[in-house]
Amino acid sequence: MPSRRHGAVSESGTTVDPIPIVLSYHQQTKHHLDRYARSLGYLDWASQPDPFRIFKGAMRVELPLAADGLTTPYADLFTPLAVPSQPVDLRSIAILFELALGLSAWKEFNGNRWALRCNPSSGNLHPTEGYAIVPALPHLEAGVYHYANHDHYLERRCFQEEGAVAELAGTMPADSFLVGLSSIHWREAWKYGERAFRYCQHDAGHAIATVRYAAAALGWSALLLDSFSDDDVAVMMGLDRAADFAGVDPHDREHPDALILVSRGPMSAPPRELPVETIRAGHWAGQANQLSPSHVDWEMIDDVAEASWKLATDWPGPVELAPLPPLSSACRVSAATLIRQRRSCLALDGQTPIPADTFYRMLDHLLPRPEVPPWDMLSWPPQLHAGIFVHRVIGLAPGLYLLERDQAIHDRLRAAMRPTFLWDQPADCPRHLRLYCLMQGDLRRTAQIVSCHQEIASDGAFSLGMIADFAQTIRAKGAWWYRRLFWEAGVLGHVLYLEAEAAGVRSTGIGCYFDDSFHELLGLTGDEFQDLYHFTVGRPVDDPRLMTLPPYAHLRRTRTV
C-alpha cells in the first residue's frame, strides 16, 4: 500500500496535487506505434508471482461446491424480481464466491498447468483478491474472511467477541454482508511493467461485475459502497495490519479497491458508516504468504496508487437514468453454466458473422437500467462510450460506429471528433440505442493496427475501443476517479464476455492498444476523451494442443450440499 496516504503531502511537507500525477501516469504509460510503455521486455520466470494468496495459520472454512445446483436462467437476471432470492447462508455465500472469483477450469500444455477463473484477468495474472465481511450466519461465525479460490475455502482472518457481533450486524441491513476486493499490483507489473496499474483496475472492474452477476443469480442485490475512504476499506479487509504481512515484500502487499454490499433484499441507499473500529479491535490471525522471491520496483505504479488513494466522500444519491424499454435475452442456459464457461478467446476465425439483432442486443446490455445487473450497482451515470469497428454483422455496413451510452455526452463528443464523420443512425437499429455510423468501409486492417497489430481485433464480427470522458471527470471529481473509469471499462468488458457466450460466440479483452492512434482515427486531441480498453467478439478458434480439466478435480473429496 502507499507509504504516504492520499497523495496530498510530499516528503518535504508541501501540498501536492494528485490530479497531475494520475494524468501524467496515463500519458507516460501509453503504447505508441514506434514504442511501447516501459516493461522488462521479457518474462523472468524465476520471479513469477504465486497466483494464489493464502494466510498461514488462519482457520479454514471449507465451502461446498454448490453452483451446479443453481438453475437460474441467464435471461432471468435482467427482469427485476424474476429470480427467487436464496437464503443468506454458507451454501449461498459459497455459490457467490464460486461464480464470482472461483476457478472455472485448468489448462494443460506440455506438462504445464494453469488455472482459469470466473473473473477475467489481463494475462491471466489475477491481481484481484476477495474477502467476505459477514455477521453471524448459520455455520459461519461473524468476522472477516479471505477467499482462497485454489481450494474453494474461506480463511478466517478476524473473529469478533460476542458483544461486537451484534454491533457488526447492526451496521448492515438484514440478510446482508460485504464483499471486499483488493489488488496486488506486482502480479501484473511482473509482466507488463508500468502499464500494470491500468490492468489491475480493469481486473477490479471485471471482479465487481462478476460479484454482481453472481448475486443476481442468487436473487440478491448488490451495491458498490463508493463513499468510504480507502483507509476504511483497507481496515475492513485487514490490509492495514503490518504484522500480518511481516516478512512479505512490500510489492506483495494488497491495495484496497472496493467494498460491495450484498443483500437478499433491495437497497435504495448504502449504510452511512462502516464498523471500522469494531473490525480493527477484533481477534486477527494469519500470515500472508510471500508471492515472489524477487521483485522489480516500478516507482511510477507506487506514485499513481498513492495519488489515486481515495478519501471519504458524500454518497452521490441515486443515478438518474433515461427510461429504456425492458432488456431482453434469448439465452435460457443457467447463469451458473454461462458464467463458468466464459473464456478469453485466443484467436478468431475471420469468417463468421453475427446477425444485426444479436449485435444490437449486446449493445443494449451496455446501457444501465434500474434494478438490472450489473449497472445497478454503480453510483454514477455512464462515463464510457464505444468506438466500434463493425466487420461482419449481417445487415449492417462495415465501418466505424459510435455507441453513446449517455445522451448528455453527444454535443461534446461530436464537437471533439472529426467534422467529416457521417453521424448516421442505422435504419433498423432500435431507437433507444444511440448508435451512429461515423464512416463506412473495410477497417479490419485499421482495427488490427490500433490493437497492437493483433489479428484478433480484425478477425471477429466486431471490435471496439472504450472512450472515457476523461480529464474533465478526473479534474472535477478527484484523482481517485482515474481508477473508477477503468473499473467501468472492466464492467463493460465483462458484459461483453457474457453476452458473447449467450450468443454462441466468444470474446476477449485487449489491453494492448495504441492509445493515441485510436484517438487520431476518431479525431480526438488533448485529454478530454481517452481510450481505456479494447474488446473483440467473434467465432473462436480453439488450440487443440491445450487440454481442459475441471476446476476442482484436484480436491481430495467432493464438496456438495
Side-chain angles (χ1 to χ4, degrees), residues 8-218:
V9 180
S10 71
E11 290 180 343
S12 64
T14 58
T15 301
V16 176
D17 184 355
I19 291 176
I21 297 174
V22 299
L23 296 180
S24 175
Y25 168 82
H26 188 77
Q27 185 65 32
Q28 293 183 59
T29 56
K30 288 181 176 180
H31 288 322
H32 299 274
L33 286 168
D34 59 345
R35 63 178 174 83
Y36 289 84
R38 286 205 315 153
S39 67
L40 284 182
Y42 64 92
L43 295 181
D44 180 11
W45 295 109
S47 66
Q48 182 180 15
D50 187 334
F52 299 105
R53 163 130 287 167
I54 59 171
F55 287 89
K56 301 174 184 177
M59 186 189 77
R60 295 183 178 183
V61 179
E62 288 192 351
L63 298 176
L65 291 165
D68 282 339
L70 192 67
T71 59
T72 305
Y74 177 72
D76 286 0
L77 302 187
F78 310 106
T79 301
L81 304 178
V83 181
S85 62
Q86 301 290 316
V88 179
D89 55 19
L90 183 66
R91 177 182 180 275
S92 295
I93 288 177
I95 292 173
L96 182 131
F97 277 97
E98 185 179 351
L99 296 181
L101 301 173
L103 306 187
S104 59
W106 288 85
K107 292 287 187 179
E108 186 172 305
F109 175 67
N110 280 350
N112 296 314
R113 183 180 293 188
W114 60 95
L116 306 182
R117 305 188 194 181
C118 292
N119 55 309
S121 171
S122 304
N124 201 41
L125 297 173
H126 291 288
T128 308
E129 295 291 325
Y131 292 79
I133 300 99
V134 300
L137 298 172
H139 309 295
L140 191 63
E141 295 178 295
V144 179
Y145 296 82
H146 171 254
Y147 177 57
N149 44 25
H150 183 279
D151 291 331
H152 190 51
Y153 60 81
L154 294 175
E155 299 176 302
R156 192 180 70 180
R157 295 275 292 114
C158 173
F159 74 94
Q160 303 292 324
E161 296 285 359
E162 184 175 345
V165 170
E167 185 178 347
L168 177 61
T171 60
M172 291 186 280
D175 292 325
S176 69
F177 62 98
L178 298 174
V179 173
L181 300 174
S182 67
S183 290
I184 301 171
H185 299 150
W186 166 244
R187 282 198 181 130
E188 293 287 341
W190 169 77
K191 179 177 181 180
Y192 294 116
E194 289 180 340
R195 198 170 166 100
F197 187 77
R198 295 179 175 217
Y199 300 152
C200 289
Q201 308 315 311
H202 283 154
D203 282 15
H206 279 293
I208 288 168
T210 62
V211 171
R212 180 63 190 104
Y213 277 115
L218 290 158

Side-chain angles (χ1 to χ4, degrees), residues 46 87 89 99 106 159 174 222 246 277 300 302 376 389 404 406 428 442 446 492 495 518 529 545 550:
D89 55 19
L99 296 181
W106 288 85
F159 74 94
E277 296 308 318
M300 186 181 292
D302 295 334
D376 62 340
F389 295 102
E404 294 177 349
D406 187 343
D428 63 342
D442 184 351
T446 302
L492 272 167
V495 174
F518 192 54
F529 297 99
R545 299 172 301 170

